[in-house]
Structures are given as structure tokens and as C-alpha cells.
């Protein structure tokens, strides 16, 4: 998700977003940043699979399971992984210029949660750059010092 945008002064800005696999730690999240790792998730998946196998193996032979029930169970199992994937944080960056060493002269960075939110924010940033000389200060991205 990359866009090239020109501001009113003619400078070329690059606005892009990248998916972050880990949630960035901020001072607001400090007290809650005590993740136990991946072990609890793996234990829960093994437990669910084990219980599903036990349920199917103890089912009497004459029971007919309707197709809509199987579809409903598959959708329920896939809901949380799909929600997790769609709610990953995205790092948004708007940068312009070159100082001769490949580094941008001006760089703005911010983080949003979710693919669709990231897409709309990139569009808002691009629009504010075309109407002004830089991104809006009210947006999610802030200038780096």
C-alpha cells in the first residue's frame, strides 16, 4: 500500500503502510505488556482439537449431522483467526526529500489498527498532502524529530 503524492510546493511525498506482526509497545500499554508468549494459545488449540476428536469418536452411529451445523462450526472456529489477521497494527509512514545519503529529509510516522483503517488513513494523508505542504497534525501520523 504505497502512494506517491505531490504537495502544493511540488515536493514528492511517499506515503506507505506496512503490516506489523507485533503490537508496538507504548507507555499506555506498559502495565499490560506481560504476554506469556505462544504457549497458552498452542495449549488451547490442542485442547480444542482433542475435545473435538473425543466428541466425534463417541458419537453414536445413527446420528445424522446436518451440513449447516458443520458450516456453522467451521465459521465459529475461523472467526477469531480472521479477526486477528484483520486487526493487526499497521505502521504508516509519509516521507519526502533526500539528504544525499538516501535518508528522507522529512518523515512522519504513526500506527493504526486494522487493514481497512490503514487504507482509509493513507488516503486521508495523501489528500491532506495534496491540499497543503505536509500531512495534517490532527491525523494519526506525527513528525519525527
Amino acid at each position: 500500500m504505497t502512494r506517491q503524492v505531490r504537495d502544493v510546493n511540488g515536493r514528492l511525498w511517499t506515503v506507505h503502510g506496512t503490516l506489523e506482526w507485533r503490537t508496538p509497545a507504548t507507555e499506555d500499554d506498559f502495565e499490560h505488556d506481560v504476554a506469556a508468549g505462544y504457549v497458552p494459545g498452542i495449549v488451547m488449540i490442542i485442547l480444542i482439537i482433542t475435545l473435538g476428536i473425543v466428541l466425534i469418536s463417541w458419537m453414536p452411529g445413527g446420528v445424522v449431522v446436518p451440513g449447516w451445523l458443520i458450516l456453522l462450526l467451521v465459521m465459529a472456529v475461523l472467526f477469531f483467526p480472521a479477526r486477528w489477521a484483520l486487526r493487526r497494527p499497521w505502521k504508516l509512514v509519509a516521507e519526502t526529500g533526500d539528504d544525499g545519503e538516501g535518508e528522507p529529509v522529512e518523515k512522519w510516522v504513526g500506527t493504526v489498527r486494522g487493514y481497512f483503517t490503514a487504507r482509509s488513513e493513507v488516503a486521508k494523508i495523501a489528500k491532506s498532502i495534496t491540499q497543503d505542504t505536509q500531512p495534517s497534525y490532527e491525523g494519526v501520523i506525527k513528525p519525527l524529530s
Side-chain angles (χ1 to χ4, degrees), residues 110-128:
T111 304
V112 294
R113 185 169 286 279
Y115 171 75
F116 297 110
T117 307
R119 241 178 107 177
S120 68
E121 284 297 325
V122 166
K124 286 178 191 176
I125 294 166
K127 184 177 179 182
S128 71

Side-chain angles (χ1 to χ4, degrees), residues 68-83:
W68 62 267
L69 182 61
I70 294 171
L71 180 65
L72 186 68
L73 288 173
V74 167
M75 287 176 54
V77 167
L78 293 179
F79 171 76
F80 289 106
R83 182 178 181 271

Side-chain angles (χ1 to χ4, degrees), residues 105-109 142-145:
V105 174
E106 192 172 348
K107 187 172 185 176
W108 294 53
V109 179
K142 304 298 178 206
L144 289 180
S145 311

Side-chain angles (χ1 to χ4, degrees), residues 19-21 79-90 114-115:
L19 178 68
E20 297 286 320
W21 287 104
F79 171 76
F80 289 106
R83 182 178 181 271
W84 176 86
L86 288 174
R87 298 285 299 155
R88 298 307 319 146
W90 283 74
Y115 171 75

